[in-house]
Amino acid sequence: MNSTSTGRTRLGIAEVLEGRRRGPRSALLFAGPAIIASVAYMDPGNYATNIQAGAGYGYTLLWVVLVANLIAMLFQSLSARLGIVTGRNLAELSRDHFPRPVVWIMWAVSEVAAMATDLAEFLGGAIGLALLFDMPLMAGMGVTAVVTYGILLFEARGFRPMELIIGTFVAIIGLCYLIEIFIAPVAWGAAGAGLITPSLPDLTALTIAVGIIGATVMPHAIYLHSGLTQNRAQVRHDADRRKILTFSNREVVLALAAAGMVNIAMVMMAAGAFHSGHAEVAEIETAYHMLTPLLGGAAAAVFLVSLIASGVSSSVVGTMAGQLIMQGFIRIRLPIWFRRAVTMIPAFAVVAMGVNATQALVVSQVILSIALPVPMVALIIFVSRGDIMGAFRIGRLTRVLAVIGAGIVLSLNVVLLLQTFRISVPGLG
């Protein structure tokens, strides 16, 4: 049953499309899908890579964060476009247009990616709770499980309550890092130079750069965004679709720009706090313990609050994406409690076996790297087809940019996989 807020939002969107409602506040009615998707770009996997980048190389790798964010903007806008124009999500279209064996492989790979995503996000929230409240990691995981399940129950009330809840978490993360960059001693001139000056000082920097990009463009976010936009508004004709696309593209730019600024702030905080004298800091737990003597207890507490908000919100979004993937590919919708339990099992198993939590985050990013080609390639194929998109098929320039963006991400992911499995790359050592 839809909530009052969802009903009001649908009514407001209809009034805007009919021309009966105007003004800057009208744009807020269309905001939500990109905000939810943006959580994937601020998840605990990003924390690990950004801390390594800032601590080890100062502001040198900020340009990598910027490039990754621009690629993410393009693919999230294409995913939203697919849902708005066709009324179908990426998983559904894949099921209907690809051969059956390909569909089963795509589903299996995407399910593994969804579990790997949830492993990173669930662990991140649990680590934050365990450190902030001085509790065992397993207890932190239990609290995270209860909180995320409670939030997921709001999904039954329509799209708007979930958008508002996730939007609140995003605001908390953003506020925390706004505070952090004013506490940390940031060299603003060097930070500005790092944003616009491509540089990879050595092989380790390349590895971290690959990790940053690999942790940014997420398979589940590409699937999910098309689902979040597919039935949000009653679309009557192409003029309505054009209006919705305009609002959607603006939201993608703003939401992903905000996520990009959070990632940039993470690198700047790590650079300001750790690069001079503590360049070896590479783990979330170490970063927290080092922040207290370096910048004070407030900086450390704010860091953990942002990590908890990131872990909880991204775990919720990951579960939503997993549900959409399963329903889209094989037409099965599991109860939320069961879906939540299935995606939590790997995280509990990892901790029970005594695996290092940060190392588990790194492994999860490798799994995501293997899965990423599936939604990226499928998305480019569908948005380029006139029989699917009609007049809204992407143009040649957008298609070329998408192929280049996919090529960059996928090539770097290959490098990440080769280095992970200790395979020598000619010219890279």
Side-chain angles (χ1 to χ4, degrees):
M1 183 176 179
N2 283 348
S3 68
T4 304
S5 60
T6 297
R8 284 200 305 264
T9 303
R10 287 190 188 277
L11 180 61
I13 289 173
E15 290 174 347
V16 173
L17 295 179
E18 293 166 8
R20 295 188 289 115
R21 184 167 181 170
R22 294 182 175 83
R25 293 183 64 182
S26 298
L28 295 176
L29 296 166
F30 295 86
I35 291 172
I36 290 179
S38 74
V39 169
Y41 300 93
M42 297 179 281
D43 75 357
N46 293 89
Y47 278 62
T49 54
N50 290 333
I51 287 171
Q52 289 178 352
Y57 294 92
Y59 308 100
T60 304
L61 300 181
L62 280 174
W63 68 273
V64 180
V65 179
L66 179 60
V67 169
N69 202 245
L70 292 174
I71 295 173
M73 282 183 185
L74 174 59
F75 277 88
Q76 293 305 143
S77 67
L78 293 179
S79 178
R81 184 187 192 94
L82 189 71
I84 291 166
V85 172
T86 67
R88 315 289 301 287
N89 63 59
L90 180 57
E92 291 171 337
L93 287 167
S94 298
R95 180 192 67 211
D96 294 342
H97 290 274
F98 291 135
R100 189 60 52 194
V102 174
V103 171
W104 281 103
I105 292 171
M106 290 179 69
W107 171 65
V109 171
S110 301
E111 283 290 349
V112 171
M115 288 188 181
T117 299
D118 200 63
L119 170 64
E121 294 158 348
F122 195 63
L123 275 176
I127 290 170
L129 284 167
L131 291 173
L132 186 61
F133 297 107
D134 194 23
M135 63 173 68
L137 183 57
M138 195 65 81
M141 293 175 69
V143 173
T144 305
V146 172
V147 171
T148 53
Y149 177 69
I151 294 172
L152 283 164
L153 293 177
F154 283 91
E155 196 176 10
R157 303 183 62 190
F159 60 81
R160 201 55 168 176
M162 188 64 76
E163 290 174 352
L164 295 172
I165 292 169
I166 298 300
T168 301
F169 278 109
V170 170
I172 291 170
I173 298 168
L175 179 61
C176 285
Y177 268 91
L178 182 63
I179 293 170
E180 291 284 23
I181 60 173
F182 283 107
I183 294 177
V186 175
W188 294 98
L195 273 173
I196 61 174
T197 310
S199 174
L200 290 171
D202 53 35
L203 181 58
T204 304
L206 172 63
T207 304
I208 294 173
V210 171
I212 290 172
I213 293 179
T216 298
V217 184
M218 301 293 248
H220 73 291
I222 295 175
Y223 281 114
L224 182 62
H225 207 157
S226 61
L228 294 172
T229 58
Q230 69 180 119
N231 293 313
R232 205 168 175 276
Q234 188 73 34
V235 179
R236 302 163 299 171
H237 40 62
D238 282 356
D240 284 353
R241 291 185 179 89
R242 288 190 180 89
K243 285 184 181 179
I244 296 172
L245 277 173
T246 298
F247 284 112
S248 174
N249 289 336
R250 289 173 185 170
E251 190 206 2
V252 168
V253 171
L254 291 174
L256 270 294
M261 285 189 281
V262 168
N263 281 296
I264 288 169
M266 286 186 199
V267 176
M268 289 167 59
M269 183 275 289
F274 306 130
H275 183 55
S276 297
H278 303 281
E280 75 285 352
V281 173
E283 297 187 354
I284 291 172
E285 298 95 325
T286 308
Y288 164 69
H289 290 303
M290 293 298 296
L291 277 174
T292 301
L294 291 174
L295 302 180
V302 168
F303 172 75
L304 289 187
V305 168
S306 72
L307 179 62
I308 294 167
S310 167
V312 170
S313 59
S314 57
S315 190
V316 169
V317 171
T319 303
M320 292 169 61
Q323 186 75 279
L324 179 138
I325 288 167
M326 175 171 281
Q327 190 172 352
F329 276 117
I330 60 174
R331 293 190 176 97
I332 293 178
R333 183 174 180 84
L334 300 175
I336 284 292
W337 67 266
F338 187 77
R339 181 80 211 183
R340 178 70 275 192
V342 167
T343 53
M344 285 190 310
I345 289 171
F348 275 99
V350 164
V351 173
M353 290 187 297
V355 177
N356 178 276
T358 300
Q359 186 60 37
L361 292 179
V362 173
V363 172
S364 73
Q365 301 308 306
V366 174
I367 295 173
L368 292 177
S369 298
I370 297 172
L372 189 54
V374 173
M376 290 187 87
V377 173
L379 180 60
I380 294 173
I381 290 172
F382 290 137
V383 296
S384 301
R385 285 177 55 171
D387 60 326
I388 292 175
M389 300 295 288
F392 297 92
R393 177 180 61 179
I394 59 173
R396 182 176 297 175
L397 177 60
T398 304
R399 188 160 55 249
V400 168
L401 290 174
V403 170
I404 291 172
I408 291 172
V409 173
L410 301 183
S411 298
L412 290 176
N413 279 336
V414 169
V415 174
L416 174 63
L417 293 174
L418 292 175
Q419 292 182 346
T420 299
F421 296 107
R422 301 293 190 270
I423 300 173
S424 178
V425 183
L428 296 179

